[in-house]
Amino acid sequence: MLLSPHFSLAELCRSKTADLCNIQNRPEEIQIRALALLAKHILEPVRSAFRIPFTPTSAYRSSALNRMLGSSDHSQHVKGEAADIKLAGVSTFDLARWIRDNLVFDQLILECVTPGREQSGWVHCSFSAKQARGDVLTYARGEYIRGLVLTG
Ligand SMILES: [Zn+2]
């Protein structure tokens, strides 16, 4: 089932950890609707701007899977509102900056970029029908910093 021209429900629910640990990772209708909005407002615009096919490394996570990954119960992944993205051949910082400057989003986090390795880490981006805070953070060495920051 396609949620948008280039993104299927299956790929937005795929998880190696869920497979390995035999955890159910099946969204309800409300999370499917959120994933479709995420695909329309974040994933498709990224794909057409960079013209690079990609599958998020993580999008929907059931509560059980999310806990297994050590993430907060309040994570927007559990609501189907967030995806972690990286693009082959594009610096993670540049991807985050493009989203910040071009898209309407709820929260954007540049995560775990290793100094000197520009394609390391990933971009966490959420879209919500209820709020568009435009919150921008960098997560590095276990702490959150406001804005997009290359640490090193
Ligand atoms: Zn994330």
Side-chain angles (χ1 to χ4, degrees), residues 61-93:
R61 297 177 193 158
S62 66
S63 297
L65 172 60
N66 197 55
R67 279 189 205 127
M68 181 76 79
L69 293 168
S71 179
S72 152
D73 282 353
H74 303 294
S75 164
Q76 288 183 290
H77 286 285
V78 177
K79 298 178 181 169
E81 293 178 344
D84 296 337
I85 309 168
K86 53 198 298 164
L87 295 179
V90 175
S91 106
T92 313
F93 185 87

PDB file of all heavy atoms in Angstrom, residues 61-93:
ATOM      1  N   ARG A  61       7.170   3.336  14.918  1.00  0.00           N
ATOM      2  CA  ARG A  61       7.612   2.344  15.912  1.00  0.00           C
ATOM      3  C   ARG A  61       6.487   2.083  16.892  1.00  0.00           C
ATOM      4  O   ARG A  61       5.961   3.021  17.499  1.00  0.00           O
ATOM      5  CB  ARG A  61       8.797   2.879  16.732  1.00  0.00           C
ATOM      6  CG  ARG A  61      10.030   3.168  15.935  1.00  0.00           C
ATOM      7  CD  ARG A  61      11.066   3.759  16.898  1.00  0.00           C
ATOM      8  NE  ARG A  61      12.168   4.348  16.192  1.00  0.00           N
ATOM      9  CZ  ARG A  61      12.968   5.268  16.731  1.00  0.00           C
ATOM     10  NH1 ARG A  61      12.771   5.679  17.970  1.00  0.00           N
ATOM     11  NH2 ARG A  61      13.965   5.759  16.038  1.00  0.00           N
ATOM     12  N   SER A  62       6.139   0.837  17.076  1.00  0.00           N
ATOM     13  CA  SER A  62       5.201   0.487  18.140  1.00  0.00           C
ATOM     14  C   SER A  62       5.842   0.832  19.484  1.00  0.00           C
ATOM     15  O   SER A  62       7.072   0.970  19.567  1.00  0.00           O
ATOM     16  CB  SER A  62       4.884  -1.007  18.081  1.00  0.00           C
ATOM     17  OG  SER A  62       6.042  -1.752  18.374  1.00  0.00           O
ATOM     18  N   SER A  63       5.033   0.954  20.522  1.00  0.00           N
ATOM     19  CA  SER A  63       5.592   1.270  21.848  1.00  0.00           C
ATOM     20  C   SER A  63       6.632   0.240  22.262  1.00  0.00           C
ATOM     21  O   SER A  63       7.685   0.582  22.806  1.00  0.00           O
ATOM     22  CB  SER A  63       4.481   1.302  22.902  1.00  0.00           C
ATOM     23  OG  SER A  63       3.577   2.314  22.599  1.00  0.00           O
ATOM     24  N   ALA A  64       6.353  -1.021  21.992  1.00  0.00           N
ATOM     25  CA  ALA A  64       7.284  -2.090  22.384  1.00  0.00           C
ATOM     26  C   ALA A  64       8.617  -1.932  21.661  1.00  0.00           C
ATOM     27  O   ALA A  64       9.690  -2.014  22.273  1.00  0.00           O
ATOM     28  CB  ALA A  64       6.674  -3.454  22.079  1.00  0.00           C
ATOM     29  N   LEU A  65       8.546  -1.666  20.370  1.00  0.00           N
ATOM     30  CA  LEU A  65       9.791  -1.493  19.601  1.00  0.00           C
ATOM     31  C   LEU A  65      10.526  -0.250  20.080  1.00  0.00           C
ATOM     32  O   LEU A  65      11.751  -0.256  20.256  1.00  0.00           O
ATOM     33  CB  LEU A  65       9.458  -1.367  18.106  1.00  0.00           C
ATOM     34  CG  LEU A  65      10.626  -0.982  17.206  1.00  0.00           C
ATOM     35  CD1 LEU A  65      11.755  -2.010  17.277  1.00  0.00           C
ATOM     36  CD2 LEU A  65      10.164  -0.800  15.763  1.00  0.00           C
ATOM     37  N   ASN A  66       9.784   0.817  20.307  1.00  0.00           N
ATOM     38  CA  ASN A  66      10.394   2.070  20.715  1.00  0.00           C
ATOM     39  C   ASN A  66      11.138   1.917  22.040  1.00  0.00           C
ATOM     40  O   ASN A  66      12.247   2.415  22.205  1.00  0.00           O
ATOM     41  CB  ASN A  66       9.303   3.142  20.819  1.00  0.00           C
ATOM     42  CG  ASN A  66       9.877   4.527  20.833  1.00  0.00           C
ATOM     43  OD1 ASN A  66      10.617   4.909  19.930  1.00  0.00           O
ATOM     44  ND2 ASN A  66       9.548   5.288  21.852  1.00  0.00           N
ATOM     45  N   ARG A  67      10.533   1.187  22.976  1.00  0.00           N
ATOM     46  CA  ARG A  67      11.195   0.946  24.272  1.00  0.00           C
ATOM     47  C   ARG A  67      12.440   0.101  24.079  1.00  0.00           C
ATOM     48  O   ARG A  67      13.479   0.356  24.698  1.00  0.00           O
ATOM     49  CB  ARG A  67      10.244   0.234  25.223  1.00  0.00           C
ATOM     50  CG  ARG A  67       9.299   1.216  25.865  1.00  0.00           C
ATOM     51  CD  ARG A  67       8.476   0.601  26.977  1.00  0.00           C
ATOM     52  NE  ARG A  67       7.273   1.407  27.086  1.00  0.00           N
ATOM     53  CZ  ARG A  67       6.040   0.929  27.048  1.00  0.00           C
ATOM     54  NH1 ARG A  67       5.834  -0.377  26.962  1.00  0.00           N
ATOM     55  NH2 ARG A  67       5.014   1.730  27.103  1.00  0.00           N
ATOM     56  N   MET A  68      12.332  -0.882  23.208  1.00  0.00           N
ATOM     57  CA  MET A  68      13.478  -1.747  22.919  1.00  0.00           C
ATOM     58  C   MET A  68      14.661  -0.925  22.411  1.00  0.00           C
ATOM     59  O   MET A  68      15.821  -1.214  22.698  1.00  0.00           O
ATOM     60  CB  MET A  68      13.057  -2.791  21.878  1.00  0.00           C
ATOM     61  CG  MET A  68      14.106  -3.777  21.493  1.00  0.00           C
ATOM     62  SD  MET A  68      14.355  -5.031  22.742  1.00  0.00           S
ATOM     63  CE  MET A  68      12.972  -6.093  22.386  1.00  0.00           C
ATOM     64  N   LEU A  69      14.344   0.153  21.653  1.00  0.00           N
ATOM     65  CA  LEU A  69      15.389   1.008  21.097  1.00  0.00           C
ATOM     66  C   LEU A  69      15.859   2.059  22.099  1.00  0.00           C
ATOM     67  O   LEU A  69      16.707   2.884  21.798  1.00  0.00           O
ATOM     68  CB  LEU A  69      14.883   1.689  19.821  1.00  0.00           C
ATOM     69  CG  LEU A  69      14.616   0.736  18.649  1.00  0.00           C
ATOM     70  CD1 LEU A  69      13.853   1.449  17.541  1.00  0.00           C
ATOM     71  CD2 LEU A  69      15.904   0.147  18.113  1.00  0.00           C
ATOM     72  N   GLY A  70      15.254   2.043  23.297  1.00  0.00           N
ATOM     73  CA  GLY A  70      15.687   2.971  24.335  1.00  0.00           C
ATOM     74  C   GLY A  70      15.162   4.383  24.141  1.00  0.00           C
ATOM     75  O   GLY A  70      15.689   5.335  24.702  1.00  0.00           O
ATOM     76  N   SER A  71      14.107   4.519  23.348  1.00  0.00           N
ATOM     77  CA  SER A  71      13.568   5.853  23.059  1.00  0.00           C
ATOM     78  C   SER A  71      12.406   6.171  24.010  1.00  0.00           C
ATOM     79  O   SER A  71      11.786   5.279  24.571  1.00  0.00           O
ATOM     80  CB  SER A  71      13.112   5.889  21.606  1.00  0.00           C
ATOM     81  OG  SER A  71      12.564   7.143  21.278  1.00  0.00           O
ATOM     82  N   SER A  72      12.120   7.470  24.161  1.00  0.00           N
ATOM     83  CA  SER A  72      11.057   7.936  25.057  1.00  0.00           C
ATOM     84  C   SER A  72       9.679   7.485  24.587  1.00  0.00           C
ATOM     85  O   SER A  72       9.397   7.433  23.396  1.00  0.00           O
ATOM     86  CB  SER A  72      11.105   9.468  25.102  1.00  0.00           C
ATOM     87  OG  SER A  72       9.826   9.987  25.368  1.00  0.00           O
ATOM     88  N   ASP A  73       8.776   7.208  25.550  1.00  0.00           N
ATOM     89  CA  ASP A  73       7.399   6.850  25.224  1.00  0.00           C
ATOM     90  C   ASP A  73       6.681   7.988  24.495  1.00  0.00           C
ATOM     91  O   ASP A  73       5.668   7.780  23.856  1.00  0.00           O
ATOM     92  CB  ASP A  73       6.605   6.507  26.496  1.00  0.00           C
ATOM     93  CG  ASP A  73       6.933   5.101  26.989  1.00  0.00           C
ATOM     94  OD1 ASP A  73       7.660   4.377  26.283  1.00  0.00           O
ATOM     95  OD2 ASP A  73       6.462   4.739  28.076  1.00  0.00           O
ATOM     96  N   HIS A  74       7.199   9.199  24.637  1.00  0.00           N
ATOM     97  CA  HIS A  74       6.570  10.350  23.983  1.00  0.00           C
ATOM     98  C   HIS A  74       7.116  10.581  22.579  1.00  0.00           C
ATOM     99  O   HIS A  74       6.746  11.541  21.915  1.00  0.00           O
ATOM    100  CB  HIS A  74       6.781  11.615  24.821  1.00  0.00           C
ATOM    101  CG  HIS A  74       6.251  11.486  26.210  1.00  0.00           C
ATOM    102  ND1 HIS A  74       4.901  11.353  26.463  1.00  0.00           N
ATOM    103  CD2 HIS A  74       6.870  11.417  27.409  1.00  0.00           C
ATOM    104  CE1 HIS A  74       4.722  11.231  27.773  1.00  0.00           C
ATOM    105  NE2 HIS A  74       5.898  11.254  28.360  1.00  0.00           N
ATOM    106  N   SER A  75       8.010   9.712  22.131  1.00  0.00           N
ATOM    107  CA  SER A  75       8.597   9.875  20.804  1.00  0.00           C
ATOM    108  C   SER A  75       7.519   9.991  19.727  1.00  0.00           C
ATOM    109  O   SER A  75       6.532   9.266  19.721  1.00  0.00           O
ATOM    110  CB  SER A  75       9.488   8.669  20.490  1.00  0.00           C
ATOM    111  OG  SER A  75       9.767   8.628  19.113  1.00  0.00           O
ATOM    112  N   GLN A  76       7.726  10.890  18.802  1.00  0.00           N
ATOM    113  CA  GLN A  76       6.759  11.041  17.705  1.00  0.00           C
ATOM    114  C   GLN A  76       6.813   9.863  16.732  1.00  0.00           C
ATOM    115  O   GLN A  76       5.903   9.700  15.927  1.00  0.00           O
ATOM    116  CB  GLN A  76       6.988  12.380  16.986  1.00  0.00           C
ATOM    117  CG  GLN A  76       6.528  13.562  17.858  1.00  0.00           C
ATOM    118  CD  GLN A  76       6.671  14.907  17.176  1.00  0.00           C
ATOM    119  OE1 GLN A  76       7.769  15.377  16.964  1.00  0.00           O
ATOM    120  NE2 GLN A  76       5.562  15.543  16.826  1.00  0.00           N
ATOM    121  N   HIS A  77       7.846   9.043  16.818  1.00  0.00           N
ATOM    122  CA  HIS A  77       7.864   7.804  16.007  1.00  0.00           C
ATOM    123  C   HIS A  77       6.664   6.921  16.368  1.00  0.00           C
ATOM    124  O   HIS A  77       6.094   6.259  15.506  1.00  0.00           O
ATOM    125  CB  HIS A  77       9.155   7.021  16.246  1.00  0.00           C
ATOM    126  CG  HIS A  77      10.372   7.634  15.605  1.00  0.00           C
ATOM    127  ND1 HIS A  77      10.615   7.571  14.258  1.00  0.00           N
ATOM    128  CD2 HIS A  77      11.411   8.312  16.140  1.00  0.00           C
ATOM    129  CE1 HIS A  77      11.763   8.182  13.983  1.00  0.00           C
ATOM    130  NE2 HIS A  77      12.266   8.642  15.115  1.00  0.00           N
ATOM    131  N   VAL A  78       6.293   6.892  17.637  1.00  0.00           N
ATOM    132  CA  VAL A  78       5.195   6.033  18.101  1.00  0.00           C
ATOM    133  C   VAL A  78       3.851   6.502  17.518  1.00  0.00           C
ATOM    134  O   VAL A  78       2.953   5.700  17.290  1.00  0.00           O
ATOM    135  CB  VAL A  78       5.147   6.010  19.652  1.00  0.00           C
ATOM    136  CG1 VAL A  78       3.969   5.186  20.149  1.00  0.00           C
ATOM    137  CG2 VAL A  78       6.454   5.460  20.208  1.00  0.00           C
ATOM    138  N   LYS A  79       3.751   7.802  17.251  1.00  0.00           N
ATOM    139  CA  LYS A  79       2.522   8.357  16.674  1.00  0.00           C
ATOM    140  C   LYS A  79       2.510   8.292  15.146  1.00  0.00           C
ATOM    141  O   LYS A  79       1.535   8.710  14.520  1.00  0.00           O
ATOM    142  CB  LYS A  79       2.373   9.818  17.098  1.00  0.00           C
ATOM    143  CG  LYS A  79       2.238  10.029  18.590  1.00  0.00           C
ATOM    144  CD  LYS A  79       2.150  11.524  18.876  1.00  0.00           C
ATOM    145  CE  LYS A  79       2.048  11.785  20.360  1.00  0.00           C
ATOM    146  NZ  LYS A  79       2.228  13.223  20.650  1.00  0.00           N
ATOM    147  N   GLY A  80       3.621   7.832  14.562  1.00  0.00           N
ATOM    148  CA  GLY A  80       3.707   7.836  13.096  1.00  0.00           C
ATOM    149  C   GLY A  80       4.005   9.220  12.542  1.00  0.00           C
ATOM    150  O   GLY A  80       3.803   9.479  11.363  1.00  0.00           O
ATOM    151  N   GLU A  81       4.510  10.104  13.408  1.00  0.00           N
ATOM    152  CA  GLU A  81       4.736  11.489  12.984  1.00  0.00           C
ATOM    153  C   GLU A  81       6.198  11.800  12.656  1.00  0.00           C
ATOM    154  O   GLU A  81       6.497  12.919  12.233  1.00  0.00           O
ATOM    155  CB  GLU A  81       4.273  12.458  14.084  1.00  0.00           C
ATOM    156  CG  GLU A  81       2.773  12.458  14.307  1.00  0.00           C
ATOM    157  CD  GLU A  81       2.316  13.387  15.420  1.00  0.00           C
ATOM    158  OE1 GLU A  81       3.156  13.828  16.233  1.00  0.00           O
ATOM    159  OE2 GLU A  81       1.100  13.644  15.485  1.00  0.00           O
ATOM    160  N   ALA A  82       7.113  10.838  12.882  1.00  0.00           N
ATOM    161  CA  ALA A  82       8.531  11.152  12.697  1.00  0.00           C
ATOM    162  C   ALA A  82       9.243  10.104  11.859  1.00  0.00           C
ATOM    163  O   ALA A  82       8.893   8.925  11.879  1.00  0.00           O
ATOM    164  CB  ALA A  82       9.222  11.265  14.060  1.00  0.00           C
ATOM    165  N   ALA A  83      10.255  10.584  11.130  1.00  0.00           N
ATOM    166  CA  ALA A  83      11.120   9.676  10.376  1.00  0.00           C
ATOM    167  C   ALA A  83      12.572  10.089  10.578  1.00  0.00           C
ATOM    168  O   ALA A  83      12.876  11.269  10.769  1.00  0.00           O
ATOM    169  CB  ALA A  83      10.786   9.723   8.884  1.00  0.00           C
ATOM    170  N   ASP A  84      13.457   9.102  10.541  1.00  0.00           N
ATOM    171  CA  ASP A  84      14.898   9.351  10.540  1.00  0.00           C
ATOM    172  C   ASP A  84      15.384   9.145   9.107  1.00  0.00           C
ATOM    173  O   ASP A  84      15.110   8.116   8.501  1.00  0.00           O
ATOM    174  CB  ASP A  84      15.613   8.383  11.485  1.00  0.00           C
ATOM    175  CG  ASP A  84      15.197   8.585  12.935  1.00  0.00           C
ATOM    176  OD1 ASP A  84      14.729   9.684  13.278  1.00  0.00           O
ATOM    177  OD2 ASP A  84      15.341   7.624  13.712  1.00  0.00           O
ATOM    178  N   ILE A  85      16.084  10.142   8.605  1.00  0.00           N
ATOM    179  CA  ILE A  85      16.431  10.159   7.181  1.00  0.00           C
ATOM    180  C   ILE A  85      17.923  10.376   6.988  1.00  0.00           C
ATOM    181  O   ILE A  85      18.535  11.169   7.707  1.00  0.00           O
ATOM    182  CB  ILE A  85      15.727  11.341   6.468  1.00  0.00           C
ATOM    183  CG1 ILE A  85      14.231  11.373   6.768  1.00  0.00           C
ATOM    184  CG2 ILE A  85      15.944  11.283   4.966  1.00  0.00           C
ATOM    185  CD1 ILE A  85      13.588  12.687   6.306  1.00  0.00           C
ATOM    186  N   LYS A  86      18.487   9.696   5.991  1.00  0.00           N
ATOM    187  CA  LYS A  86      19.783  10.091   5.465  1.00  0.00           C
ATOM    188  C   LYS A  86      19.771   9.841   3.967  1.00  0.00           C
ATOM    189  O   LYS A  86      19.033   8.973   3.488  1.00  0.00           O
ATOM    190  CB  LYS A  86      20.943   9.412   6.177  1.00  0.00           C
ATOM    191  CG  LYS A  86      20.885   7.904   6.251  1.00  0.00           C
ATOM    192  CD  LYS A  86      21.814   7.400   7.339  1.00  0.00           C
ATOM    193  CE  LYS A  86      23.259   7.780   7.002  1.00  0.00           C
ATOM    194  NZ  LYS A  86      24.167   7.675   8.156  1.00  0.00           N
ATOM    195  N   LEU A  87      20.548  10.611   3.229  1.00  0.00           N
ATOM    196  CA  LEU A  87      20.568  10.491   1.772  1.00  0.00           C
ATOM    197  C   LEU A  87      21.974  10.134   1.328  1.00  0.00           C
ATOM    198  O   LEU A  87      22.940  10.774   1.766  1.00  0.00           O
ATOM    199  CB  LEU A  87      20.187  11.825   1.111  1.00  0.00           C
ATOM    200  CG  LEU A  87      18.778  12.353   1.336  1.00  0.00           C
ATOM    201  CD1 LEU A  87      18.616  13.689   0.621  1.00  0.00           C
ATOM    202  CD2 LEU A  87      17.744  11.357   0.847  1.00  0.00           C
ATOM    203  N   ALA A  88      22.065   9.152   0.434  1.00  0.00           N
ATOM    204  CA  ALA A  88      23.367   8.752  -0.103  1.00  0.00           C
ATOM    205  C   ALA A  88      24.013   9.948  -0.805  1.00  0.00           C
ATOM    206  O   ALA A  88      23.386  10.599  -1.641  1.00  0.00           O
ATOM    207  CB  ALA A  88      23.193   7.596  -1.081  1.00  0.00           C
ATOM    208  N   GLY A  89      25.255  10.247  -0.433  1.00  0.00           N
ATOM    209  CA  GLY A  89      26.003  11.302  -1.110  1.00  0.00           C
ATOM    210  C   GLY A  89      25.703  12.716  -0.644  1.00  0.00           C
ATOM    211  O   GLY A  89      26.230  13.674  -1.209  1.00  0.00           O
ATOM    212  N   VAL A  90      24.855  12.869   0.363  1.00  0.00           N
ATOM    213  CA  VAL A  90      24.517  14.213   0.849  1.00  0.00           C
ATOM    214  C   VAL A  90      24.956  14.329   2.307  1.00  0.00           C
ATOM    215  O   VAL A  90      24.717  13.416   3.107  1.00  0.00           O
ATOM    216  CB  VAL A  90      22.995  14.465   0.754  1.00  0.00           C
ATOM    217  CG1 VAL A  90      22.614  15.815   1.366  1.00  0.00           C
ATOM    218  CG2 VAL A  90      22.539  14.384  -0.701  1.00  0.00           C
ATOM    219  N   SER A  91      25.570  15.449   2.659  1.00  0.00           N
ATOM    220  CA  SER A  91      25.981  15.616   4.048  1.00  0.00           C
ATOM    221  C   SER A  91      24.728  15.732   4.927  1.00  0.00           C
ATOM    222  O   SER A  91      23.728  16.354   4.539  1.00  0.00           O
ATOM    223  CB  SER A  91      26.890  16.845   4.198  1.00  0.00           C
ATOM    224  OG  SER A  91      26.214  17.914   4.811  1.00  0.00           O
ATOM    225  N   THR A  92      24.787  15.106   6.083  1.00  0.00           N
ATOM    226  CA  THR A  92      23.632  15.085   6.987  1.00  0.00           C
ATOM    227  C   THR A  92      23.284  16.507   7.422  1.00  0.00           C
ATOM    228  O   THR A  92      22.113  16.859   7.532  1.00  0.00           O
ATOM    229  CB  THR A  92      23.966  14.196   8.205  1.00  0.00           C
ATOM    230  OG1 THR A  92      24.542  12.976   7.716  1.00  0.00           O
ATOM    231  CG2 THR A  92      22.716  13.842   8.993  1.00  0.00           C
ATOM    232  N   PHE A  93      24.292  17.321   7.624  1.00  0.00           N
ATOM    233  CA  PHE A  93      24.063  18.717   8.013  1.00  0.00           C
ATOM    234  C   PHE A  93      23.322  19.464   6.896  1.00  0.00           C
ATOM    235  O   PHE A  93      22.370  20.204   7.157  1.00  0.00           O
ATOM    236  CB  PHE A  93      25.397  19.411   8.313  1.00  0.00           C
ATOM    237  CG  PHE A  93      25.233  20.814   8.838  1.00  0.00           C
ATOM    238  CD1 PHE A  93      25.055  21.050  10.192  1.00  0.00           C
ATOM    239  CD2 PHE A  93      25.239  21.896   7.964  1.00  0.00           C
ATOM    240  CE1 PHE A  93      24.891  22.342  10.680  1.00  0.00           C
ATOM    241  CE2 PHE A  93      25.071  23.194   8.443  1.00  0.00           C
ATOM    242  CZ  PHE A  93      24.900  23.412   9.804  1.00  0.00           C
TER     243      PHE A  93
END
